[in-house]
Amino acid sequence: MPPVKYTIKVVKEVSVDSFSADDAKKYRIISARLKRPNPLFEMWLEEMIAKAEQKNSMGKIALQKALNSLRRYPLPLASGRDCIALVDFGNTICENLDKRLKSYLASGGTVPSDHNEAIERILNDEESDHYRELTCGLRSPVAEVNAENAEPIDEAMPEDSIFDYVPAQADKGDHCVTITSPKAILLVDTGETIGKSKSSLDKTLKELAQYSIEHEVRRLSVGDFAWIVKDDTGRDFLLPYIIERKRMDDLASSIKDGRFHEQKFRLKNCGLANVIYLIEHLGNNRQVGVPESTLTQAALNTYVQDFTVKFTENHHHTVLYLSVVSKFINNSLKNKSFLDITNRPASDESSLAFSFTSETVPLLSFEHFYKQSSKTRDCSVQDVFMKQLLQIKLLTIEKVNAIVAKYPTPQRLLRAYERCPGETERQRMLDLPYGPTNRTVGEKLSKIVYQLMMNDRYTA
């Protein structure tokens, strides 16, 4: 008898949680992912790279990085402008892609808006593992598949993606939040609007309105931009995304006066998982009082410390980035459940283990966020100790975290010094491994901390 052939049909937005036993017999869910969700953009970037190579232009390096980022992104993008949310995509590359897209559409080209047909062809390929998985043990001639519930693909998302932070599961002690119609509202810090000139405020709010981005001007205790949703009772909850914006001159100033490390410390401890450090250029002819190499190194250090670092070319580019991010966040809230993680212990790092395809979004009470991240809040001994250590030059957040993880208070550190058998061991005691690469703090910094803690007097 010839083998029975099955026809696979793609079904959207099937609620897996509400399945009954009978439903489970009719539905089978697998993961399906398009190999090239943005083939046109890939092709045009490849052509740009080829032209740059012919001209022996350095631009080919930036284009190749953008192409690699695009290939890792698993979702179709509607326009070149939407690419700005990806790592290594600048305003120029996005504009060039948009020009090519307009020319392509004007000449009669089409861009598929519904990818179900392509997914269905993949699933109906009898030689594929997907087809065998779907038809194995089925008696019904038709199997229906939910194409919306794809399993997490860690390597698919670009490194600066801001959409990787939805919790995999709820822990005990969390509380469900009822939000019938979730809508993300962009919060703009008053510090961004009461600067040197009111024209900056007017320009920012005008451009946000132009892109139809719902926003509010509100005082934030840390960061410059964040997003909230309101539950059905009207309470404000912060989504796990926050942006600290720095113009080049602001970044240089914060490095010189020491605010740079203190601000990053408060951002890392504000309770929001995804912190974006946005650096805005001022133009090639603007002097900021700090060498460009110093600013580049500061940005690189920030990236290594698990921040997302995004460069924008000007104020307009910054607002454009905010608008694209806002739309992506709103799209990611559809058909999700929400949990209030406000009372989760700060030491519980499991709250940071989020996945883009998960069904639950963590929320933090705005009132709690404001109080906990305020400069004037009550600090623990460990918090003060960390701030003291951060005042030491070259002692970064990662290095301080490694020290405090082992010696959470000055008293613990002093007792550890006392137990050391000799002076050399004391000076090397804090040469601890830190970060994902397990680099060490360094003997020089270890010796400086030892001298700071144990000397009776200090010399200039």
Side-chain angles (χ1 to χ4, degrees):
M1 177 181 292
V4 178
K5 293 186 177 180
Y6 297 91
T7 302
I8 311 301
K9 182 180 179 183
V10 177
V11 177
K12 287 185 177 181
E13 298 178 359
V14 175
S15 176
V16 182
D17 296 333
S18 61
F19 267 19
S20 65
D22 292 335
D23 290 330
K25 295 177 181 178
K26 297 188 296 180
Y27 290 83
R28 182 161 293 185
I29 301 168
I30 70 166
S31 166
R33 177 178 181 268
L34 295 176
K35 292 183 179 179
R36 297 183 69 195
N38 299 285
L40 288 176
F41 290 162
E42 284 190 32
M43 179 180 68
W44 294 333
L45 282 172
E46 288 169 353
E47 292 176 1
M48 292 179 197
I49 292 171
K51 289 181 180 179
E53 287 178 344
Q54 290 177 358
K55 297 178 181 180
N56 197 24
S57 170
M58 292 299 292
K60 65 182 180 181
I61 299 175
L63 289 167
Q64 186 62 56
K65 289 181 178 180
L67 177 60
N68 293 338
S69 176
L70 181 66
R71 285 173 174 168
R72 292 196 300 267
Y73 191 68
L75 304 177
L77 295 161
S79 67
R81 184 185 126 189
D82 288 348
C83 293
I84 204 163
L86 307 185
V87 67
D88 295 319
F89 271 87
N91 205 30
T92 302
I93 296 178
C94 293
E95 288 178 355
N96 286 336
L97 289 177
D98 266 336
K99 288 178 183 177
R100 295 292 296 268
L101 181 61
K102 289 178 182 178
S103 176
Y104 174 77
L105 295 176
S107 62
T110 58
V111 178
S113 58
D114 187 355
H115 293 268
N116 283 351
E117 292 183 8
I119 295 175
E120 202 164 340
R121 284 197 299 272
I122 295 172
L123 299 182
N124 277 288
D125 181 0
E126 297 181 22
E127 301 300 321
S128 71
D129 293 335
H130 291 322
Y131 184 86
R132 287 192 289 270
E133 181 183 351
L134 283 166
T135 58
C136 178
L138 289 180
R139 295 181 181 179
S140 173
V142 179
E144 299 193 349
V145 181
N146 180 359
E148 297 298 306
N149 291 293
E151 66 183 11
I153 306 174
D154 296 337
E155 67 276 11
M157 298 298 289
E159 292 178 358
D160 85 333
S161 173
I162 58 153
F163 314 107
D164 292 345
Y165 299 96
V166 184
Q169 60 183 7
D171 288 343
K172 293 181 180 179
D174 293 328
H175 303 283
C176 292
V177 179
T178 303
I179 306 179
T180 306
S181 302
K183 187 173 184 180
I185 301 172
L186 174 65
L187 296 185
V188 183
D189 180 41
T190 53
E192 287 290 298
T193 63
I194 56 174
K196 296 179 180 178
S197 65
K198 186 175 182 295
S199 61
S200 177
L201 163 62
D202 295 337
K203 186 178 179 181
T204 300
L205 300 186
K206 183 178 180 180
E207 289 196 39
L208 287 173
Q210 179 183 344
Y211 293 123
S212 302
I213 302 302
E214 187 169 346
H215 58 276
E216 293 181 10
V217 177
R218 190 180 297 190
R219 174 63 179 164
L220 299 178
S221 52
V222 66
D224 297 313
F225 302 96
W227 286 265
I228 61 167
V229 289
K230 296 179 181 290
D231 70 359
D232 289 354
T233 65
R235 291 183 300 168
D236 292 341
F237 288 93
L238 276 162
L239 292 161
Y241 317 106
I242 187 168
I243 293 179
E244 172 72 18
R245 168 184 170 266
K246 287 288 185 188
R247 293 191 323 184
M248 279 294 192
D249 54 345
D250 296 331
L251 177 61
S253 176
S254 66
I255 291 173
K256 288 190 290 186
D257 64 19
R259 290 181 292 115
F260 181 60
H261 293 301
E262 190 271 338
Q263 288 175 339
K264 289 197 296 182
F265 172 77
R266 290 197 297 126
L267 283 166
K268 290 292 286 184
N269 291 278
C270 71
L272 301 180
N274 194 9
V275 183
I276 304 167
Y277 209 88
L278 189 149
I279 301 175
E280 185 179 299
H281 286 287
L282 290 173
N284 295 330
N285 298 321
R286 297 291 295 272
Q287 300 296 321
V288 296
V290 171
E292 183 179 353
S293 59
T294 302
L295 298 178
T296 302
Q297 186 62 51
L300 182 61
N301 292 342
T302 303
Y303 176 76
V304 171
Q305 292 160 4
D306 291 330
F307 287 80
T308 295
V309 178
K310 176 67 180 178
F311 286 89
T312 59
E313 297 179 9
N314 48 48
H315 179 266
H316 170 73
H317 191 194
T318 296
V319 178
L320 178 61
Y321 179 74
L322 291 171
S323 71
V324 172
V325 171
S326 296
K327 290 177 181 178
F328 267 99
I329 290 177
N330 265 308
N331 290 335
S332 72
L333 297 181
K334 296 177 181 177
N335 304 315
K336 300 290 176 69
S337 56
F338 300 88
L339 285 177
D340 180 4
I341 61 168
T342 300
N343 296 320
R344 179 176 292 189
S347 59
D348 185 2
E349 296 184 0
S350 63
S351 62
L352 303 181
F354 302 135
S355 169
F356 171 55
T357 55
S358 204
E359 293 298 320
T360 310
V361 180
L363 301 177
L364 191 67
S365 163
F366 178 82
E367 182 180 359
H368 174 82
F369 160 81
Y370 189 88
K371 290 180 179 178
Q372 287 298 110
S373 54
S374 173
K375 290 182 180 180
T376 58
R377 74 178 179 91
D378 295 334
C379 294
S380 65
V381 174
Q382 180 173 316
D383 290 337
V384 176
F385 187 34
M386 292 179 72
K387 289 183 178 182
Q388 290 173 334
L389 292 175
L390 283 170
Q391 302 308 307
I392 299 174
K393 189 176 181 181
L394 300 180
L395 201 54
T396 62
I397 294 175
E398 279 191 327
K399 295 176 182 178
V400 169
N401 283 336
I403 294 172
V404 174
K406 192 166 185 179
Y407 309 107
T409 65
Q411 186 182 51
R412 293 272 190 92
L413 182 59
L414 291 174
R415 288 178 178 175
Y417 281 135
E418 292 171 356
R419 289 194 296 268
C420 285
E423 188 74 8
T424 302
E425 288 78 6
R426 294 189 187 98
Q427 292 181 3
R428 295 177 178 175
M429 191 181 74
L430 296 184
D431 190 16
L432 304 169
Y434 71 93
T437 59
N438 283 327
R439 297 179 62 183
T440 60
V441 172
E443 291 186 13
K444 184 176 180 180
L445 282 173
S446 177
K447 182 178 179 180
I448 290 173
V449 176
Y450 168 69
Q451 291 174 341
L452 175 68
M453 299 296 297
M454 302 300 289
N455 281 4
D456 295 331
R457 62 177 63 184
Y458 305 105
T459 57

